[in-house]
């Protein structure tokens, strides 16, 4: 199990996301961004917009995804 923060994934806060894989952590970040913006948190709007934009620009999005996976792999277990 590894932990990455919202900020490590491009967001503005230090909420910790845990997962066994980078994909689990990235999905948790996506849910987090959607939930807090839906509740009116304006500080996360930019990160949510960037997340949605990654899927509109696949080449740039894959670069972000690969970097997030490398960052996750470099983290210590626990």
């Amino acid at each position: 199990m590894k932990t990455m923060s919202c900020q490590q994934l491009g967001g503005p806060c230090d909420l910790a996301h845990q997962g066994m894989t980078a994909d689990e952590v990235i999905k948790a970040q996506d849910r987090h961004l959607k939930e807090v913006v839906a509740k009116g948190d304006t500080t996360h709007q930019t990160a949510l917009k960037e997340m949605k934009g990654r899927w509109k620009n696949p080449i740039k999005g894959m670069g972000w995804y690969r970097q997030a996976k490398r960052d996750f792999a470099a983290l210590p277990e626990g």
Side-chain angles (χ1 to χ4, degrees), residues 5-72:
S5 71
C6 174
Q7 195 169 38
Q8 287 174 296
L9 294 164
C13 76
D14 61 357
L15 179 75
H17 302 295
Q18 292 186 324
M20 296 299 291
T21 67
D23 289 332
E24 288 178 7
V25 172
I26 291 168
K27 287 177 184 176
Q29 171 74 347
D30 291 350
R31 283 190 305 274
H32 166 64
L33 293 174
K34 290 175 186 174
E35 288 171 4
V36 296
V37 170
K39 292 178 183 177
D41 185 328
T42 59
T43 62
H44 286 75
Q45 285 179 339
T46 300
L48 179 61
K49 184 178 177 183
E50 289 172 358
M51 179 197 68
K52 289 180 178 181
R54 283 193 281 277
W55 306 119
K56 292 178 183 175
N57 185 340
I59 294 171
K60 184 178 178 184
M62 283 306 294
W64 178 90
Y65 177 71
R66 286 186 188 115
Q67 184 61 51
K69 287 188 74 148
R70 282 191 294 268
D71 293 345
F72 182 87

